[in-house]
Amino acid sequence: MGKTLAVSPLAPASFPELPVISGVRFASAEAGVRYKNRTDVMLAVLAPGSTVAGVFTRSATRSAPVLDCQSKLAAGGGASDAGAAILVNSGNSNAFTGARGQTSVAELCMAAEKATGVPQSRIFTASTGVIGEPLPHERIVAKLDELTGNLSEDAIKGSARAIMTTDTFPKGACKSVTIDGKTVQIAGIAKGSGMIAPDMATMLVYIFTDAVVEQGALQSMLSSLTDRTFNCITVDSDTSTSDSLMLAATGASGVDASNSDAFRTALSDVMLDLAHQVVRDGEGATKFVEIRVTGAASDADAKVHGLAIANSPLVKTAIAGEDPNWGRVVMAIGKSGAAADRDLLSIWFGDVLVAEKGWVSPDYKEADGAAHMKGQDLVIRVDLGLGDGASTVWTCDLTHGYIDINADYRS
Amino acid sequence: MGKTLAVSPLAPASFPELPVISGVRFASAEAGVRYKNRTDVMLAVLAPGSTVAGVFTRSATRSAPVLDCQSKLAAGGGASDAGAAILVNSGNSNAFTGARGQTSVAELCMAAEKATGVPQSRIFTASTGVIGEPLPHERIVAKLDELTGNLSEDAIKGSARAIMTTDTFPKGACKSVTIDGKTVQIAGIAKGSGMIAPDMATMLVYIFTDAVVEQGALQSMLSSLTDRTFNCITVDSDTSTSDSLMLAATGASGVDASNSDAFRTALSDVMLDLAHQVVRDGEGATKFVEIRVTGAASDADAKVHGLAIANSPLVKTAIAGEDPNWGRVVMAIGKSGAAADRDLLSIWFGDVLVAEKGWVSPDYKEADGAAHMKGQDLVIRVDLGLGDGASTVWTCDLTHGYIDINADYRS
């Protein structure tokens, strides 16, 4: 792990008070996979009747646990009356570990079945940390009885801590929603700070609800909301081999939310909150940047432009330097590959109109742009003047801190 | 310009002795466009009979001078018996300057025609530096008589200096080739150190030869060799609005090289030499990295993988930290989008086999990988085990120096 990192200046003031989600219990433990003197494994056990959905990295070199989760979900995830379990370790990603990686996953699932009574077909594992070193799964196996014995509905915060790697703060978010006069709860945790880019970076996210949501509806809700939340954030354009986002519905509230727009909106809010927290913990980040693109030829084009701006090292270093360098924004739009007409382009930093119709705005004063850049939460707005396509993406700046963390931490 | 940058540790020992290219004369001057106490404008005048070819940025927001050069070359470049001229300034890119940018180009071409006698249809300009500020073209116009008066066949090195921006050393390369018992010369200069990525970054390159090369052959040679040289280098994945690569053949040697393989090879060598020098002057670079990809499903796939590795901030910071972090190479291959099979992948750092068949090689010792990473010129080799596709790309590491330069220099 090397040195201890200072908490990100963009971190929320505190971890939120997450509600109990009836039907799911948590535990964490110190298995000593790699780190010393901290928890590094979490177990969540879901009551019989729970449905589970997942979205995973699209990397062609994805890890053994990701492949295992995908094949189990593709097979329907087994009977939901069997309950389900999620077992996650930090410190070692069990990625690019060949046949041995698959053996580790099998050993973990077998041991978890034995300890929890949940069948292996409903046990989902994830590993995050160093790539290419064998996972000492026996250290986790040795902790399964302790974990099972400690399961508690109140222990979600401990799980948020156990899955951290280079994260500087644990991430949680929640929302309640009233459907037919009854309240359902949604609560989630996440880890991730580097290798963050669309298609799921080194990011693990687990979201739980006590609503009743039919399996197919749960998966389709999760997939479509991911495109507007986790796939709209980027720290460094790098995509990990291990990203996993899972959503489980215990049904304990007895309220069916399968077709509820209010539930969908609340879930989207929780996902966006967690996604923003991941960016706020971007390695070395000192600025949180929202990039709003409008007037594109299509929504897809708008997202291409937004991500080109968000991933440009020159834009990100200018932001770090508090330089309202709109020329680099123009450069990024130009290279993105999506449609743009230089002479129809307008750019704002915050509410300050910087450039319009292909040139600097006549009323623009550099001091106004510079004043906006001194803030911690920035908005860069671009209108392409071509159509109705729009997209918003989020990123952070590129600082010396990023180099410090990544030039000497083997992650 | 801010502070003066130390010369890159990867710079060649000295500027090469470039041969005179009969039929082309150079001059440079201090026009004071932005910089003080240094030259910032170059003029090259080509004898009647010269042919000219060009390749330019594919940015959708390209600069006024790029658009002007492209339209002149598309129109055939005018009669070659009129000669040609190239006029370049540093300090201001005349990009994203609206209608005023086009006016500046027109004023420069008109004044250059007046001073040199070369018709405007054969005058090619380029500007490099700050984006979005009006070009004070009158300062350049005021220097045209001085420039024309100072033209000399011996002054190419001065031109290489005049076009520098954040470059820490002037870049030149040459090669001679014997065709039918007669010698022809090729000599070129380049500038570029940041915003370097395929599709021509903030890079200006001018190459001259005394061979006779028919216009169509010259353009096709330049275009195809660009794909294997300048489009295979990347510093930071950012693409500028101003990149221009021009090749002029004066024909003064009387030797026709239009169909000469030897000439083509020599030209490729000069282009690759200049391309490598651009990487060696990458902003903040301390390591020159060659990435060789073999065994891909196609050459195009190999290049996609190579550039994904070369552009990954996590790979580049690991290199800066001399960390043989092959897991990040696996990650970059996984995210590239081109075909890969994790379990067929092999990776070498230099001659050290690090990973094979989806896992760390049984004979690999971390100390061997680490020893290779301490060098200044590194090779990362990847074999995908899928087919015959191959590509080599070049990049540099991502260091604190890059942040220093880009977080406070308005370029």
Side-chain angles (χ1 to χ4, degrees), chain A residues 90-179:
Chain A
S90 56
N92 182 310
S93 70
N94 192 19
F96 210 63
T97 43
R100 183 156 171 178
Q102 287 157 267
T103 305
S104 289
V105 173
E107 294 283 341
L108 287 172
C109 289
M110 199 154 39
E113 175 181 89
K114 202 171 148 208
T116 63
V118 174
Q120 289 186 48
S121 63
R122 296 279 289 170
I123 293 174
F124 302 96
T125 73
S127 295
T128 177
V130 175
I131 296 177
E133 296 186 6
L135 177 68
H137 57 262
E138 66 287 352
R139 298 183 199 167
I140 301 168
V141 167
K143 291 286 172 178
L144 275 166
D145 285 339
E146 175 189 327
L147 284 161
T148 308
N150 288 339
L151 285 167
S152 154
E153 284 193 332
D154 283 329
I156 191 170
K157 184 176 177 180
S159 293
R161 288 198 172 280
I163 62 176
M164 288 167 64
T165 56
T166 53
D167 301 64
T168 72
F169 61 90
K171 297 162 189 72
C174 60
K175 198 101 185 185
S176 66
V177 52
T178 304
I179 300 171

Side-chain angles (χ1 to χ4, degrees), chain B residues 292-314:
Chain B
R292 287 185 216 150
V293 178
T294 56
S298 66
D299 288 354
D301 264 20
K303 194 164 168 180
V304 169
H305 282 303
L307 289 172
I309 297 166
N311 280 323
S312 160
L314 286 171

